[in-house]
Amino acid sequence: MFDLAGKTALVTGATGGIGGEIAKVLAQAGAKVALSGTRAERLEAVAAEIGENAVVVPANLADTESVDGLIKAAEEALGGQLDILVNNAGITRDQLAMRLKDEDWQAVLDVNLTSAFKLARNSLRGMMKRRHGRVINITSIVGVTGNPGQANYAAAKAGMIGWSKSMAQEVAARGITINCVAPGFITTAMTEELGDAQKEKLLAGIPAGRMGDSKEIAAAVLFLASDEASYVTGQTLHVNGGMAMI
Amino acid sequence: MSDVADRVKKIVVEHLGVEEDKVTENASFIDDLGADSLDTVELVMAFEEEFGCEIPDDAAEKILTVKDAIDFIEKANS
């Protein structure tokens, strides 16, 4: 099950906790994985952990030229056309809506929504020719439920679900699937910073009684990337310990 | 018939799975040959590959018939 031997993949935001884990799991399943992110040194470290199945393609998704050239750069580094795109990179600029600055709205939409769409669009050409492709977008529970202080982030993540469904319908007959994975609260460097009181309150809302592990997100991505998931498209797979059942 | 026309028609036949005699110069990809909008995008990609030329989006939108494709490619390659 879930054998990705001979496949190529690009994971954006591969320096983060979730992105790094996704890259590792895809490589373990046999895929050759291109790791993208802004921090070149950290990328090299993740690549070294993975071994020979990893290549590094640094890119800043806030930069238009970097976004437009990324699929080509990844395919060159991988030595072949892209089979699996995982749009995992994302930024936050949290603020109450009333105080949210235009530039913080725009920055989050540019990176989390627009760059992800462009990367998917730019990878479709090769996938259409080969009648096979997988696009997996890491959205968020917040894109479906909303969250105070995250109007920009929620909008971008909801938008991602919207374009995924449209694109999925366009290319379904060509053997290409487009899906989203929506994590709930996952243990990462970011959530580690929460205080005990905050954590307690948070856990009260999660039936599983614990935060998720990035491995549990990577497993969902692996399934959607596999040939076994060929009839699943336009869906959002929620991985949240039961925190929201949608 | 020109060499370009032959090659264009061959691509259309292969790609849309239609009978060769239906692929006349005036045949419209969508109205006469049963293509959907994504098929037309793929046809343009196939033409680009076959003839080693680039067909910009605004030109691609105007390629509606077999003749449109032949004319564009002959002009681009001349």
Side-chain angles (χ1 to χ4, degrees):
Chain A
M1 287 269 262
F2 309 154
D3 180 11
L4 301 181
K7 300 269 177 24
T8 61
L10 167 63
V11 180
T12 67
T15 50
I18 294 177
E21 194 58 41
I22 292 169
K24 272 179 222 165
V25 165
L26 296 182
Q28 275 162 12
K32 189 166 183 190
V33 184
L35 313 174
S36 187
T38 47
R39 291 170 288 170
E41 273 175 34
R42 176 82 190 110
L43 281 178
E44 292 289 355
V46 178
E49 261 181 70
I50 293 174
E52 60 180 19
N53 264 356
V55 294
V56 164
V57 200
N60 178 2
L61 299 184
D63 171 60
T64 307
E65 263 178 49
S66 203
V67 175
D68 292 343
L70 181 55
I71 296 297
K72 202 166 168 238
E75 290 185 335
E76 273 168 21
L78 290 163
Q81 282 186 314
L82 193 63
D83 298 302
I84 301 158
L85 168 66
V86 183
N87 274 315
N88 166 73
I91 59 167
T92 53
R93 296 274 189 280
D94 296 354
Q95 183 56 271
L96 290 175
M98 284 178 71
R99 296 212 172 110
L100 187 59
K101 291 194 180 74
D102 286 359
E103 58 261 39
D104 289 336
W105 169 269
Q106 198 59 49
V108 168
L109 261 78
D110 284 348
V111 173
N112 298 10
L113 179 66
T114 308
S115 81
F117 167 76
K118 285 181 169 188
L119 294 177
R121 181 192 62 195
N122 296 350
S123 65
L124 283 182
R125 199 183 172 95
M127 292 178 183
M128 286 210 337
K129 267 193 219 160
R130 292 194 311 287
R131 294 288 189 265
H132 178 84
R134 296 281 183 270
V135 176
I136 298 143
N137 296 318
I138 309 303
T139 174
S140 167
I141 179 63
V142 163
V144 179
T145 61
N147 197 29
Q150 291 199 305
N152 47 2
Y153 188 76
K157 294 302 191 183
M160 194 176 217
I161 294 173
W163 70 250
S164 297
K165 290 177 181 176
S166 297
M167 196 181 272
Q169 292 179 39
E170 291 177 10
V171 299
R174 304 301 193 271
I176 303 168
T177 68
I178 321 279
N179 291 288
C180 294
V181 172
F185 281 100
I186 306 300
T187 309
T188 61
M190 198 168 74
T191 51
E192 279 297 288
E193 284 172 22
L194 297 172
D196 282 348
Q198 276 177 300
K199 265 191 198 166
E200 208 172 298
K201 199 174 157 200
L202 214 153
L203 290 177
I206 306 174
R210 63 175 178 86
M211 302 239 259
D213 190 280
S214 50
K215 284 190 172 67
E216 293 169 312
I217 303 303
V221 172
L222 173 62
F223 165 64
L224 292 171
S226 72
D227 285 342
E228 283 82 354
S230 51
Y231 203 52
V232 181
T233 193
Q235 304 301 315
T236 300
L237 180 48
H238 289 271
V239 184
N240 61 26
M243 178 184 158
M245 302 189 183
I246 309 147
Chain B
M1 199 190 291
S2 72
D3 167 55
V4 169
D6 277 344
R7 285 156 71 193
V8 164
K9 286 181 183 177
K10 189 162 172 273
I11 288 170
V12 175
V13 167
E14 277 172 10
H15 204 89
L16 299 179
V18 290
E19 298 290 328
E20 208 174 328
D21 55 7
K22 284 200 176 155
V23 187
T24 60
E25 294 215 345
N26 290 323
S28 153
F29 296 123
I30 289 174
D31 296 335
D32 301 319
L33 301 175
D36 64 19
S37 54
L38 192 60
D39 287 321
T40 62
V41 172
E42 284 191 307
L43 276 174
V44 166
M45 279 163 48
F47 296 147
E48 286 178 331
E49 204 157 288
E50 171 76 15
F51 297 99
C53 61
E54 197 178 321
I55 305 178
D57 288 344
D58 54 346
E61 280 168 19
K62 291 181 193 134
I63 299 180
L64 304 174
T65 66
V66 176
K67 187 171 185 303
D68 293 339
I70 297 168
D71 288 349
F72 181 90
I73 293 156
E74 284 186 336
K75 211 169 161 189
N77 286 359
S78 65

